Structures are given as C-alpha cells and as structure tokens.
Amino acid sequence: MKKPGTRHKARQRAVDLLFEAEAKNVAALDLVAQRRELVVDDESIGMIHPYTARVIEGLATDRAQIDAVLESHLREWTLPRLPAVDRAILRLAAWELFNTHDVPPVVVVDEAVELAKELSTDDSPAFVNGVLGRIVELAPQVRAAAQATAPTADADGE
C-alpha cells in the first residue's frame, strides 16, 4: 500500500470536519475557524491544510447543488439514510469532481474509495465507487459550464 500523500490527509481531515459538523449540527466553516483559533494556543489541534479549507469553503457554497446531484444518483437510498461518513465522502468527492481542475476524475474516485475503506463500513467502498461512477460522467460538462460562466478579465487585465 502506498503512503498517503498530503492531499489525501487534507481530504481525510475535510471528511472528519464534515462528519463532526453534522454530528454537532454546526457549520463546517465554523469548525474550521474554531480550529484555526485553537491551534494558536494548542499545536496538538493541528493546522488546517489549505486544501481542507478550500473543500469546506466550496461545499459551504455548493452544498445544495452537490446534494441534489448525489440524491439523483443514489439507487434505493436517500442521502439522509446513508451513514454520515459516507455522506461526507460523497460530498467531498462530488465537489472535487465538479470544481478541481488539477485532480483527474479517476484520482478523485480512487481517493474517495480509499477514504471509505479507511473510515466506513465494508460495503461502503463499493457503494461510493458505484455512486461516483455514475456522477463522474457529469464532471466534464459541469466544469465546462463553470468555466464558461466564470468572470474573465477584460483586455486591460481588470
């Protein structure tokens, strides 16, 4: 088994924060802010990796759309019925599929399956892989649409 990289650890921390936020019924962004304050006095808390923060911030913005896509690709399940950790993993991966341009979709899916192996039930890796396998087909269109609607600088660079 290969050694997990920094981004894998950042994803794992994002899943942990999403899971904790749901369990405590608080915003994940608030947990990130809280951890950033606590780490100043207690280094054992651990710094929030910039990629972890990027994912949490992105999900805070896109959560309704991500959840709608996930719901429409679940078979015989609803999002609320899933184990909370699986929900967090699927949300993270769906957000990455639609919003990251530096991570190939196959890597996003592999990472999500690996997180499911590490953090969830024996059935979760295959389930996560199946759901994301259906969603991954949408990723190129979603990314292209986002780029087409992204604000661009005019000829003067402003």
Side-chain angles (χ1 to χ4, degrees):
M1 183 175 145
K2 69 177 188 162
K3 183 176 179 255
T6 302
R7 194 165 280 189
H8 178 80
K9 292 175 186 168
R11 285 182 184 97
Q12 190 171 30
R13 185 83 184 271
V15 169
D16 291 345
L17 288 166
L18 291 168
F19 179 86
E20 181 181 350
E22 185 173 326
K24 292 180 174 179
N25 199 25
V26 299
L29 278 176
D30 292 344
L31 284 180
V32 170
Q34 180 187 62
R35 295 303 192 283
R36 286 182 166 156
E37 289 175 21
L38 291 173
V39 77
V40 173
D41 296 323
D42 183 356
E43 291 181 8
S44 72
I45 299 294
M47 296 290 291
I48 298 289
H49 189 278
Y51 193 75
T52 300
R54 180 177 163 206
V55 170
I56 299 291
E57 290 162 5
L59 276 168
T61 303
D62 299 338
R63 171 90 173 264
Q65 297 95 325
I66 295 294
D67 283 0
V69 169
L70 289 172
E71 277 284 354
S72 70
H73 287 81
L74 293 174
R75 293 189 179 148
E76 300 176 26
W77 284 89
T78 61
L79 207 52
R81 282 189 55 221
L82 294 180
V85 71
D86 291 359
R87 253 191 318 275
I89 292 168
L90 287 169
R91 284 173 173 151
L92 163 77
W95 183 87
E96 279 190 297
L97 285 171
F98 298 152
N99 294 284
T100 58
H101 302 284
D102 59 337
V103 184
V106 68
V107 173
V108 172
V109 174
D110 286 349
E111 283 287 315
V113 169
E114 193 59 36
L115 287 168
K117 286 178 187 175
E118 294 170 13
L119 303 172
S120 197
T121 69
D122 289 344
D123 294 333
S124 292
F127 178 77
V128 165
N129 188 56
V131 173
L132 294 177
R134 292 187 291 278
I135 292 173
V136 77
E137 296 171 14
L138 299 175
Q141 296 97 315
V142 173
R143 289 181 189 191
Q147 282 189 314
T149 60
T152 57
D154 63 22
D156 296 327
E158 294 177 23

